[in-house]
Amino acid sequence: MFVRTATASTTAVALVGAGALLLPAADRTEASAQRTNPVVVAHRGASGYAPENTLAAVDAADALGIDWVENDVQRTRDGVLVVLHDTDLKRTTNVEQIFPDRAPWAVKDFTAAEVAKLDAGSWFGTQFTGVRVPTLTQFLHRLERNRQKLLLEIKSPGTYPGIERDIVRVLRKEGWLDRSHVRDRLVIQSFGADSVRKVHALRPDITTGFLGTPAVADLPGYAAFTDQINPSYATISADYVAAVQRLKGPHGKRLRVNTWTVNDAAKAAKARAFGVDGIITNYPDVVRDATS
Ligand code: G3P
Ligand code: CA
């Protein structure tokens, strides 16, 4: 397994963690007995250091030796999948300046060519001027170039009927549904349980995650279609994490827990003590240092 880490100890951590977290279904062995450190996932890329959900944020994670990158996927008016968190373009691009008459500037109302004209870097820092909103295809290419892995979030699935099928189509076209990607390098998650269910139905081999904190009594229902329960840090306890991990998911492996968004060392240490499998963070170096 490809690992880029700076020290022998962190390399060992990454090797154990990479085998433990992302759970790809096929031949994952139960590694929990050996697992000591949660896997670190760069939230929207290393978004503490570069504009979120851009190729610059992917590269920033890579420069820190972080394999796993989380992103947010939506769809343009002409059906192109793009990587962006908010359902409108205002906060992270100069859309109001370039298209002043297009309020409320919803992603779904713009074509891919229009989105490609926007500056998605200047808001974060002048050194990122000219950085663009990537398409999912461009994002996958950059991850592939860097040999990184993807925790793909389907954002606001109710806004984009059929987006699950579109995502699967792009992943297949770009070679991300071959055995090695599905086993080791891809997880698809959403706050929408129906969306996660659809992904599981379309491609049962893909590892899936539900974003949220279902009641313990409801967890067995989720375990029918999701391999991960990924809750906000503010909602979890050691007992909750253990309750999730006691269950087996659709691939017969125990459910995993990846918590978000943990950006400081104290919370990272606490999440680790709770027994989580992964931590999603804007500052992956800080979390790695605090948990290894
Ligand atoms: O991956 C977890 C996290 O990204 C969910 O929240 O709003 O940052 O997409 P959000
Ligand atoms: Ca997200």
Side-chain angles (χ1 to χ4, degrees):
M1 184 170 296
F2 194 96
V3 177
R4 299 170 311 288
T5 44
T7 67
S9 64
T10 53
T11 299
V13 165
L15 284 165
V16 170
L21 157 74
L22 285 162
L23 26 133
D27 58 359
R28 183 77 53 217
T29 57
E30 287 296 330
S32 57
Q34 299 170 33
R35 176 172 47 78
T36 56
N37 302 318
V39 168
V40 179
V41 181
H43 181 236
R44 311 179 194 173
S47 58
Y49 302 110
E52 64 185 57
N53 279 323
T54 66
L55 301 186
V58 174
D59 288 346
D62 185 52
L64 294 169
I66 299 298
D67 287 341
W68 280 99
V69 173
E70 190 259 7
N71 73 0
D72 302 287
V73 175
Q74 302 187 55
R75 193 172 64 201
T76 63
R77 192 174 83 197
D78 53 341
V80 176
L81 298 174
V82 291
V83 180
L84 199 89
H85 180 270
D86 299 2
T87 52
D88 68 68
L89 293 149
K90 285 187 293 183
R91 180 177 61 86
T92 58
T93 78
N94 61 346
V95 69
E96 290 172 281
Q97 183 192 325
I98 305 297
F99 298 102
D101 303 324
R102 299 280 294 277
W105 297 286
V107 176
K108 68 179 175 51
D109 295 334
F110 283 76
T111 65
E114 289 169 340
V115 171
K117 290 183 179 144
L118 304 176
D119 183 329
S122 297
W123 70 276
F124 193 86
T126 53
Q127 69 272 38
F128 296 105
T129 299
V131 165
R132 301 292 158 182
V133 174
T135 63
L136 177 59
T137 297
Q138 291 166 338
F139 205 89
L140 293 171
H141 289 175
R142 185 57 58 95
L143 291 170
E144 192 65 45
R145 188 196 77 174
N146 296 345
R147 303 296 300 162
Q148 289 168 289
K149 309 176 184 190
L150 177 60
L151 175 56
L152 185 160
E153 180 183 343
I154 306 175
K155 183 57 79 185
S156 192
T159 308
Y160 308 106
I163 192 171
E164 299 82 9
R165 195 173 288 278
D166 294 339
I167 288 170
V168 165
R169 193 178 301 122
V170 169
L171 289 169
R172 186 187 304 116
K173 179 166 184 289
E174 299 305 328
W176 276 70
L177 293 185
D178 67 10
R179 181 172 157 74
S180 72
H181 285 80
V182 168
R183 187 186 58 202
D184 294 325
R185 295 177 59 187
L186 176 68
V187 177
I188 298 181
Q189 65 173 358
S190 183
F191 285 103
D194 282 348
S195 190
V196 180
R197 233 184 247 109
K198 281 176 194 163
V199 171
H200 180 64
L202 281 169
R203 283 291 300 228
D205 53 336
I206 293 178
T207 300
T208 55
F210 174 70
L211 281 162
T213 316
V216 169
D218 295 334
L219 288 171
Y222 285 83
F225 62 89
T226 191
D227 302 276
Q228 303 181 353
I229 298 290
N230 295 341
S232 162
Y233 170 80
T235 67
I236 62 170
S237 63
D239 285 349
Y240 186 79
V241 171
V244 174
Q245 292 172 337
R246 269 196 291 276
L247 296 171
K248 288 193 171 177
H251 298 105
K253 306 296 180 185
R254 75 165 176 81
L255 293 189
R256 263 61 175 179
V257 177
N258 303 303
T259 193
W260 47 273
T261 303
V262 175
N263 287 330
D264 67 67
K267 285 181 181 159
K270 205 164 167 191
R272 181 179 185 277
F274 286 161
V276 302
D277 299 286
I279 299 178
I280 301 167
T281 173
N282 300 348
Y283 299 94
D285 53 337
V286 171
V287 168
R288 182 180 56 201
D289 292 350
T291 56
S292 57

